[in-house]
Amino acid sequence: HRDAEAITALRSYLHRHPASTRGPEAQAMLGWLLLDGGDRAAAKVAFDVAAASSVPRARASAQRGLSRLTGQR
C-alpha cells in the first residue's frame, strides 16, 4: 500500500549508488512497482537495465517483466 514511497526509495538508492551490486535487483523491483502502477515506459527502462545485468535473479525477474509488457506470459 506504499508503492509510491517504495518507488521513491528505490530511485533514490539507485541514484546514490549507481554501481551497487544490489542495483540490478533494485532495478527489477522498481520495474515491477512501475508496471503495477501503470507506468509501462518507465517499467521497461528499469527491466531493460536489470535484464542486461550479470545477476541471474535480477535478470530472470526482468525478463518476466519484459514478457508481461509485451503480452507474452
Side-chain angles (χ1 to χ4, degrees):
H1 302 313
R2 297 171 54 186
D3 289 355
E5 289 176 43
I7 289 169
T8 299
L10 286 166
R11 283 181 167 157
S12 176
Y13 174 81
L14 290 164
H15 179 74
R16 285 180 291 138
H17 308 285
S20 168
T21 58
R22 296 288 186 203
E25 292 170 297
Q27 287 284 0
M29 288 187 282
L30 178 60
W32 285 108
L33 288 167
L34 293 166
L35 181 59
D36 289 345
D39 191 344
R40 296 173 62 84
K44 182 177 183 328
V45 171
F47 287 142
D48 283 341
V49 172
S53 81
S54 62
V55 179
R57 189 167 143 181
R59 192 171 56 243
S61 179
Q63 289 167 345
R64 285 191 304 274
L66 290 168
S67 291
R68 173 107 26 110
L69 279 170
T70 60
Q72 303 168 0
R73 297 207 175 202

